[in-house]
């Protein structure tokens, strides 16, 4: 559920987009109208929106409450503020790619999607929630990260970043190995699940087992109402979207990578002495290896 105390013009539409897959069919109709044109919804009375969406006024009120508001009037006010702060005429329009889009539009739409993914992720990330994850990782014996496909690349990035500053961290993109890892975790360890939808079985089941084993669990997901979010102690929400033309889209991955960077920097800050020494040592080791490789005679 969206927290109205934390909802701002910058993150409201991103949050509606995030919970869209978990809404009822009727609520999804209303949510899509919000995503398509929040300014028009903000100007519409509940009767007008009921007619436009072919849903009942009761459904609109229930949808507003699911989104974290006391009623439709409060949602309208938030949407009006969101529409007033958009950056340019299409800031809050999804802008999906079409089969006949010229490459000039492809360039503009893809660039906008990546930019909005970063802006929306930053706008809705709670410093308090991020701090809790940073604290858990700093105190962990080991950090295991689970992800498959595009999210597997994010898992690998997180593990290698933490490894560079001296933490025991491993990424698992194979379900069998992930399950093996999860059941061997202990209290104080941290398990991180990376999944755009929050419903990927190869990520969800290892996280469940890790929590059962006593580990602290963290979700990096686009959907705050997903199964992964429900099973985790801490949830960090990314804001990128995947579309028909862009499964595993960079916008989804870049928003997840942004969260990984936030976590990494937070951990490195709070362990600066140890982290700086680890970075220097690992940098020297790689540099020495590359230097020696250049001077090593090549085999014929």
């Amino acid at each position: 559920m969206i927290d109205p105390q934390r909802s701002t013009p910058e993150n409201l539409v991103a949050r509606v987009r995030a919970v869209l897959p978990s809404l009822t069919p009727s609520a999804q109709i209303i949510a899509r109208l919000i995503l398509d044109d929040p300014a028009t919804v903000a100007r519409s009375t509940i009767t007008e929106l009921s007619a436009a969406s072919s849903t009942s006024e009761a459904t609109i009120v229930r949808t507003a409450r699911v989104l974290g508001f006391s009623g439709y009037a409060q949602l309208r006010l938030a949407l009006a503020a969101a529409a007033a702060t958009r950056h340019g005429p299409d800031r809050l329009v999804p802008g999906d790619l079409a089969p006949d889009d010229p490459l000039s539009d492809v360039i503009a739409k893809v660039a906008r999607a990546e930019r909005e993914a970063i802006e929306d992720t930053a706008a809705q990330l709670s410093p308090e929630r991020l701090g809790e994850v940073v604290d858990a990782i700093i105190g962990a014996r080991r950090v295991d990260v689970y992800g498959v496909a595009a999210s597997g690349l994010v898992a690998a990035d997180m593990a290698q970043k933490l490894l560079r500053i001296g933490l025991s961290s491993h990424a698992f993109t194979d379900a069998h190995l992930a399950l093996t890892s999860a059941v061997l975790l202990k209290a104080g360890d941290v398990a991180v699940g990376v999944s755009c939808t929050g419903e990927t079985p190869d990520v969800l089941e290892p996280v469940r087992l890790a929590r059962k084993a006593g580990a602290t669990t963290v979700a990096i997901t686009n959907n705050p109402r997903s199964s992964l979010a429900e099973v985790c102690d801490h949830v960090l929400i990314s804001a990128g979207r995947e579309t028909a033309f862009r499964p595993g889209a960079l916008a989804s991955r870049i928003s997840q990578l942004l969260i990984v960077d936030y976590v990494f920097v937070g951990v490195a800050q709070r362990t600066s002495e140890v982290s700086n020494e680890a970075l220097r040592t690992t940098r020297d080791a790689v540099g020495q290896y590359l230097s020696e490789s250049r001077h090593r005679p090549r085999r014929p």
Side-chain angles (χ1 to χ4, degrees):
M1 179 180 290
I2 294 175
D3 181 356
Q5 300 299 319
R6 297 201 62 85
S7 290
T8 66
E10 291 77 13
N11 68 23
L12 173 58
V13 173
R15 285 172 177 261
V16 173
R17 185 182 299 137
V19 302
L20 179 65
S22 59
L23 297 177
T24 65
S26 296
Q28 284 188 4
I29 294 173
I30 298 166
R32 287 195 177 95
L33 289 175
I34 293 172
L35 294 175
D36 288 341
D37 196 346
T40 296
V41 175
R43 291 192 299 267
S44 302
T45 66
I46 192 170
T47 302
E48 291 169 340
L49 183 59
S50 175
S53 62
S54 299
T55 61
S56 68
E57 293 184 11
T59 298
I60 295 172
V61 173
R62 283 195 299 269
T63 302
R65 289 174 177 168
V66 167
L67 296 177
F69 299 93
S70 60
Y72 179 58
Q74 187 185 18
L75 175 59
R76 283 183 69 187
L77 289 174
L79 287 172
T85 59
R86 67 185 183 183
H87 309 301
D90 58 358
R91 172 63 181 89
L92 299 177
V93 178
D96 288 344
L97 292 166
D100 57 350
D101 276 347
L103 288 179
S104 59
D105 284 0
V106 170
I107 292 170
K109 287 184 177 182
V110 171
R112 190 181 69 209
E114 318 313 341
R115 182 176 64 252
E116 291 183 2
I118 292 174
E119 292 174 351
D120 292 342
T121 298
Q124 67 186 4
L125 184 60
S126 160
E128 294 80 13
R129 195 166 297 168
L130 176 63
E132 292 170 353
V133 173
V134 168
D135 289 340
I137 289 176
I138 289 173
R141 176 183 66 100
R142 63 182 286 173
V143 180
D144 286 356
V145 194
Y146 311 122
V148 296
S151 293
L153 300 175
V154 178
D157 183 71
M158 185 173 195
Q160 71 90 12
K161 277 185 165 65
L162 295 178
L163 184 63
R164 283 295 301 272
I165 56 175
L167 298 180
S168 177
S169 184
H170 309 273
F172 297 91
T173 59
D174 176 271
H176 292 190
L177 291 176
L179 294 170
T180 302
S181 147
V183 297
L184 295 177
L185 294 178
K186 297 178 173 59
D189 294 337
V190 172
V192 181
V194 185
S195 170
C196 180
T197 63
E199 302 294 342
T200 308
D202 290 4
V203 174
L204 187 55
E205 190 57 27
V207 171
R208 282 177 173 156
L209 290 177
R211 185 173 188 179
K212 185 177 180 181
T216 299
T217 50
V218 178
I220 299 177
T221 180
N222 281 22
N223 189 352
R225 303 181 73 206
S226 63
S227 299
L228 180 63
E230 290 178 1
V231 79
C232 283
D233 300 303
H234 307 286
V235 182
L236 301 177
I237 302 300
S238 51
R241 292 188 312 121
E242 297 186 353
T243 67
F245 280 93
R246 306 181 68 215
L250 179 59
S252 297
R253 192 159 65 254
I254 201 168
S255 60
Q256 294 172 340
L257 288 170
L258 179 63
I259 289 177
V260 168
D261 272 356
Y262 285 142
V263 172
F264 167 74
V265 172
V267 172
Q269 277 186 320
R270 298 190 188 181
T271 60
S272 58
E273 187 174 341
V274 174
S275 296
N276 286 335
E277 177 61 21
L279 285 170
R280 185 193 62 78
T281 302
T282 54
R283 189 184 303 114
D284 289 348
V286 173
Q288 182 177 351
Y289 168 76
L290 293 176
S291 178
E292 291 175 351
S293 297
R294 294 190 192 99
H295 295 90
R296 191 176 296 133
R298 296 182 179 179
R299 294 180 180 178

